[in-house]
Amino acid sequence: MDEMFAIKCQNCGGPMYSHQAKRSFECAYCGAVIPWQADAGEPKSALGIRHTPLTVVDGLLKLTHVSQLERPEDPDWYFFNSHWRNQSVLEHLLWEDRGTAQEFQEATHVSIPCPFCGASFEGESTQRVFECPSCGNKIGIADLFKPGTFSKRLTMGVGAEYVPEQGIPCEITPQQARANALELVRRYPDAFAGHDVEDAIQNDMMLFYFPMALADLRMMASFPGKGLSRETLVYYEVLDWAYPRANYLDVRLMGILEPWDFAKVGSFDPAMQEGDFRVVSVDASTKDQVVIDKLALDIVGNDAETFLGLNKKSIRTWARKARKHKA
Ligand SMILES: [Zn+2]
Ligand SMILES: [Zn+2]
């Protein structure tokens, strides 16, 4: 077991809590504030978001960001097969990456001696911050602040240890997350048909930090026209489009979740490391373009059908360009 330290106020001895905005621990009793690191400095700025606005020439939009129209080929990539949905994360890992599956399995209960009250309590070995159930004080793993010393047990997926630089803080409780998941199942019954989702939501829910990239997606697609016109050209622009960079979770289901709030992206700091969570590494064996094509083609068909009444299966040709934001 790694070395522990008590997250305790040096002024009054009270328990302290991480404060994201102040990048420090704050005492619940006397209000003392202690920075996470003496030389922490300012956090790196959030993802650079700079959109190139569309220009209008002679009353027409100038569309410069898409390439030649071509026949769409639905990437027949086996990770998109919905049978993965029937598997637990562990089953998926055992199939794809035995090394991290083992770490994942072995990350179990550990006994923590509380430096405040002396009581021993159980925690998960993947946790970085513990709360003593007897006295309510918080205890952190000694390497919590050292960059690059992230526990390998927390990382899942092919590749070495992976330390995210930035993340979106998790701001909901497990209860709220379960309620949201159930609501999602109610809204999209087809996507979950035949799966025992309610049981999984109650018993297998986990917090993951998942690698995503942010891009502006511009596309054009040609459909058979209505009435006398032979062709309908549809132009799409999706700003701040987030696409996944690993396949350990169901990336197509992630596409129907509410948009992520990228304004909240911040350094992956101690406040994001409370509770039991896992980090998914960027999957080097998955090409970005395959994921982009699969998800983008979903958007092309679904949006054309929903907003313009076109048949999504009748798409003839398309062109797409995802312009990635600089991280
Ligand atoms: Zn205090
Ligand atoms: Zn205690």
Side-chain angles (χ1 to χ4, degrees), residues 114 116-117 132 134-135:
C114 176
F116 287 94
C117 70
C132 172
S134 307
C135 66

Side-chain angles (χ1 to χ4, degrees), residues 178 182 185 195-205:
R178 288 195 180 94
L182 286 170
V185 175
H195 310 301
D196 194 359
V197 235
E198 310 229 339
D199 180 69
I201 289 171
Q202 288 310 325
N203 302 309
D204 297 331
M205 195 106 166

Side-chain angles (χ1 to χ4, degrees), residues 104-115:
F104 186 83
Q105 263 177 312
E106 284 168 2
T108 47
H109 298 295
V110 285
S111 185
I112 318 280
C114 176

Side-chain angles (χ1 to χ4, degrees), residues 29 49 101 117 150 173 183 187 193 202 211 219 231 263 287 308:
Y29 292 95
I49 297 176
C117 70
F150 206 67
T173 63
E183 175 56 30
R187 260 200 288 161
Q202 288 310 325
M219 302 184 286
E231 187 183 32
K287 287 214 165 62
L308 302 167

